[in-house]
Amino acid sequence: MKSLFAILLLFVASTAGFSQQIYKRTLKLMGSRFDITVVANDQIIANRNIDIAIKEIGRIEKLISSWDENSQTSSINKNAGIQPVKVDQELFDLIQRAIGISKLTDGAFDISYASMDTIWKFDGSMMQMPSEEEIKASVAKVGYKDIVLDKEKTKVFLNSKGMKIGFGAIGKGYAADKAKDLLIEKGVVAGIINASGDMNTWGQQPDGTDWKVAITNPLNKNNAFALLPVVNKAVVTSGNYEKYVILGDKKYAHIIDPRTGYPSTGIVSVSVFAPKAELADALATSVFVMGIKVGLDRINQLSGIECIIVDDEGNIHTSKNIKIDNQ
């Protein structure tokens, strides 16, 4: 779940004395809340540019949706174990990058997670642990290594019947990236695409200051423990503090390790700063699954990427290049 309140966008609403102003529209896209913010000279130009972003996000949704029976993603899933499916270069490249992130995270991130049987319930109805056999069976069809790519023919094949891919963990981030790129191409000097917590920024506010985000502790939401600039990059915050189940004396979150079928433990919030929202999105989920020590070690090996973790006791952990004063 992407947190809408764990990462708060701060900008100057009053732009007196500046020719450019901040314009924002909030709407539902891809089944989630999107906040599209642009800097422009007048309302007409701003609305036109926001409409361009909305159209681009809709195009991405049609391309990657697994709910649309006519989408290329659905075609890949329907033909799992049967035959390869030719797809657009854009979708092929997205899948290829997703497999690259899977390798980078040792399978903590995996777009074939969509194959998992839903045996964990986080709606209050679950009263006991699933059996080991049920958990093992739930991930039997999951495995990025069974996604076969034909670069020359841009074809995708899922090796086994019942396999499925889905872009729930990177789709909104990718849409935010594409909308940002298109608006920059159209001459929009600054703005933010916030896709339900997958946020990408560019340029500066009309007064010349950087966009900033306030990071809050989900266990102590009244105070922000960090106010950080976001300069031409993305930041994604994921949290598990609203969807979980307590069995016995242990809390199980809704973020499932696709390798084992067991929920992640020990972390309540992860914020990742990266050049692209797509990458930040995937890594935020991966850190949850890998855990604090392994997650931070992996982030520290990546250039231009930083991370803030809040554990289930409210302690704050950061990657090596983020310096904050805990409150």
Side-chain angles (χ1 to χ4, degrees):
M1 184 199 73
K2 297 301 177 299
S3 169
L4 289 177
F5 52 80
I7 184 163
L8 305 174
L9 177 64
L10 303 181
F11 57 82
V12 180
S14 173
T15 56
F18 301 100
S19 59
Q20 294 184 321
Q21 297 185 46
I22 293 171
Y23 298 90
K24 177 182 174 182
R25 193 185 306 174
T26 299
L27 66 163
K28 189 173 183 179
L29 298 167
M30 302 179 74
S32 302
R33 170 175 167 165
F34 272 67
D35 299 291
I36 302 174
T37 302
V38 298
V39 172
N41 291 323
D42 61 57
Q43 184 76 54
I44 295 174
I45 294 174
N47 283 334
R48 183 174 67 224
N49 288 326
I50 290 173
D51 288 341
I52 289 172
I54 292 170
K55 184 176 180 180
E56 176 68 355
I57 293 165
R59 183 187 71 81
I60 297 299
E61 181 176 22
K62 289 181 180 179
L63 180 69
I64 68 175
S65 173
S66 57
W67 299 104
D68 181 353
E69 292 187 357
N70 297 316
S71 74
Q72 293 181 15
T73 300
S74 290
S75 182
I76 293 170
N77 292 339
K78 289 175 185 175
N79 285 281
I82 301 172
Q83 62 182 355
V85 174
K86 184 170 178 59
V87 299
D88 291 349
Q89 187 70 52
E90 181 180 6
L91 181 60
F92 185 90
D93 291 344
L94 179 61
I95 294 171
Q96 189 171 44
R97 290 195 302 274
I99 293 174
I101 296 171
S102 295
K103 294 177 181 177
L104 177 69
T105 61
D106 300 321
F109 170 85
D110 193 327
I111 58 170
S112 69
Y113 80 95
S115 311
M116 286 193 294
D117 289 333
T118 307
I119 58 173
W120 295 90
K121 308 293 183 183
F122 302 96
D123 57 3
S125 65
M126 192 172 185
M127 296 292 111
Q128 63 182 15
M129 283 277 293
S131 68
E132 287 188 24
E133 291 77 15
E134 288 175 319
I135 293 171
K136 185 177 180 180
S138 74
V139 294
K141 299 294 184 180
V142 178
Y144 70 91
K145 293 179 181 179
D146 287 325
I147 303 173
V148 181
L149 302 182
D150 184 333
K151 293 182 181 180
E152 290 186 4
K153 298 179 180 179
T154 63
K155 288 186 176 183
V156 181
F157 179 58
L158 307 183
N159 261 338
S160 304
K161 286 188 176 182
M163 273 194 76
K164 295 178 182 178
I165 60 171
F167 298 95
I170 58 170
K172 287 188 289 294
Y174 178 63
D177 290 337
K178 294 296 289 184
K180 168 188 169 178
D181 291 345
L182 185 56
L183 289 181
I184 290 174
E185 182 183 314
K186 298 296 183 181
V188 180
V189 296
I192 307 120
I193 308 295
N194 187 350
S196 192
D198 295 9
M199 190 176 75
N200 209 338
T201 74
W202 72 101
Q204 293 178 314
Q205 300 184 65
D207 65 356
T209 60
D210 295 327
W211 304 107
K212 294 181 176 66
V213 292
I215 309 295
T216 65
N217 187 331
L219 304 180
N220 181 19
K221 300 169 189 172
N222 294 325
N223 295 312
F225 63 79
L227 179 62
L228 301 171
V230 185
V231 182
N232 295 322
K233 65 169 56 176
V235 56
V236 171
T237 292
S238 294
N240 71 358
Y241 33 85
E242 290 184 341
K243 291 180 68 176
Y244 58 87
V245 62
I246 297 177
L247 300 173
D249 60 352
K250 193 168 184 180
K251 179 178 177 180
Y252 296 91
H254 77 286
I255 298 176
I256 310 295
D257 186 337
R259 303 166 298 186
T260 67
Y262 283 88
S264 61
T265 59
I267 295 175
V268 295
S269 176
V270 175
S271 297
V272 173
F273 296 77
K276 296 284 188 179
E278 172 194 322
L279 179 59
D281 204 350
L283 290 176
T285 302
S286 302
V287 170
F288 258 104
V289 171
M290 290 187 287
I292 298 169
K293 187 177 184 300
V294 175
L296 286 180
D297 179 66
R298 196 61 49 89
I299 293 295
N300 284 333
Q301 297 178 47
L302 303 175
S303 176
I305 298 173
E306 301 300 337
C307 179
I308 299 173
I309 300 172
V310 180
D311 68 26
D312 55 10
E313 294 182 353
N315 300 311
I316 298 163
H317 311 262
T318 68
S319 54
K320 61 185 178 182
N321 291 324
I322 289 185
K323 306 298 180 183
I324 60 176
D325 295 321
N326 296 353
Q327 295 183 5

